[in-house]
Amino acid sequence: MKEIDYTLQRKEMVDWQIKGRGIHTTDILEVFMQIPRHIFVPEELRYQSYEDCPLPIGFDQTISQPYIVAYMTEALKPDKNKRVLEIGTGSGYQAAILSCLCKEVFSIEINASLGEQTKKLLKETGYSNINLKTGDGYKGWKEFAPFDMIIVTCAPSAVPEALLEQLAERGKMIIPIGSSYNQRLYLIEKINGQNKQTAMLHVRFVPMIHKN
Ligand code: SAH
């Protein structure tokens, strides 16, 4: 089957949805232009992959809206010396974006089947600085802590204690907090051992689930 060229749709996504809403960091815009978002979306929905909305990826989960991925990425101020922990691998799109902007990505997915599927995709596409595991994000990933950045892409009702512990001094965490219908993103910065919390956008992520 002939591959469809989505370059134009991708450029429109970057120009209108991301740049047009105030994300101006050049490296970030470039990475959104480079990464083929459609490969992270099920084949039958690929024609919608550059639209201004989240999309279903199977397993009752979603890939986030492009702008939200960009907004959370920019809030972390990533750079090539930093290591990032992601909670909620999902499609792997956010992990792929971060992998081009950071030194190393560690990402945890609670759904084993989705985790396996994404692992395969990321391996095939050659993102070599992404480490994935199936597990419970509430526990973080202690062996590789502390992390310079933590990004949570599912919503707990309060900041998980283990994640605060695994955040490095001067580190930044971006996390949606709240119930299913009413969440807000918070930026947490650890400064002299204290957590400074800043309220940001209102959002709607899938809940961060507890494993029984
Ligand atoms: N970052 C993803 C979007 C994730 S959707 C992307 O770029 O596509 C949220 C994901 O969080 C889902 O895949 C869900 O299974 C996962 N999740 C929910 N609770 C979790 C938990 N406690 N630990 C790890 N992952 C969790």
Side-chain angles (χ1 to χ4, degrees):
M1 207 175 79
K2 197 173 170 288
E3 274 289 314
I4 299 172
D5 184 0
Y6 286 105
T7 313
L8 192 63
Q9 284 94 324
R10 194 152 57 240
K11 182 157 182 1
E12 287 188 342
M13 172 190 87
V14 170
D15 287 350
W16 293 94
Q17 300 171 34
I18 300 181
K19 217 168 160 182
R21 291 198 182 107
I23 309 277
H24 292 303
T25 310
T26 316
D27 305 4
I28 296 181
L29 296 173
E30 275 173 16
V31 168
F32 275 84
M33 197 55 225
Q34 271 163 31
I35 305 242
R37 178 172 162 94
H38 60 277
I39 69 166
F40 298 91
V41 169
E43 243 170 271
E44 64 280 11
L45 294 177
R46 285 201 177 152
Y47 69 101
Q48 292 183 306
S49 29
Y50 296 94
E51 288 180 11
D52 196 10
C53 56
L55 289 171
I57 53 169
F59 309 95
D60 275 339
Q61 301 303 332
T62 54
I63 178 171
S64 310
Q65 179 190 4
Y67 171 63
I68 297 296
V69 179
Y71 179 90
M72 292 173 81
T73 302
E74 189 173 61
L76 290 171
K77 299 207 186 327
D79 72 53
K80 291 275 184 192
N81 298 314
K82 292 183 182 161
R83 293 155 73 247
V84 61
L85 173 67
E86 178 189 32
I87 309 299
T89 314
S91 69
Y93 180 62
Q94 175 79 72
I97 294 278
L98 286 169
S99 80
C100 300
L101 296 161
C102 308
K103 187 171 172 194
E104 207 166 8
V105 180
F106 298 83
S107 184
I108 305 175
E109 171 55 52
I110 203 160
N111 181 315
S113 316
L114 178 56
E116 275 311 309
Q117 181 182 299
T118 301
K119 194 176 215 168
K120 198 164 158 257
L121 175 71
L122 289 170
K123 208 172 159 194
E124 276 166 18
T125 37
Y127 296 99
S128 56
N129 61 343
I130 305 179
N131 308 277
L132 300 174
K133 81 162 177 178
T134 299
D136 183 359
Y138 281 100
K139 298 194 183 113
W141 200 336
K142 214 170 171 184
E143 300 91 299
F144 295 102
F147 298 97
D148 307 301
M149 305 178 286
I150 299 180
I151 180 167
V152 183
T153 65
C154 43
S157 52
V159 185
E161 206 47 50
L163 299 185
L164 284 175
E165 280 163 19
Q166 293 176 24
L167 186 64
E169 173 62 27
R170 307 197 71 81
K172 293 187 202 298
M173 174 175 358
I174 184 104
I175 179 167
I177 300 288
S179 63
S180 327
Y181 297 101
N182 183 16
Q183 300 159 12
R184 192 150 190 191
L185 279 178
Y186 286 88
L187 179 68
I188 298 169
E189 294 166 277
K190 199 182 263 190
I191 303 165
N192 299 326
Q194 301 288 311
N195 299 313
K196 182 182 154 220
Q197 197 163 305
T198 311
M200 302 180 75
L201 280 189
H202 289 273
V203 285
R204 195 159 160 187
F205 279 88
V206 299
M208 182 163 173
I209 54 177
H210 282 278
K211 208 171 187 142
N212 298 316

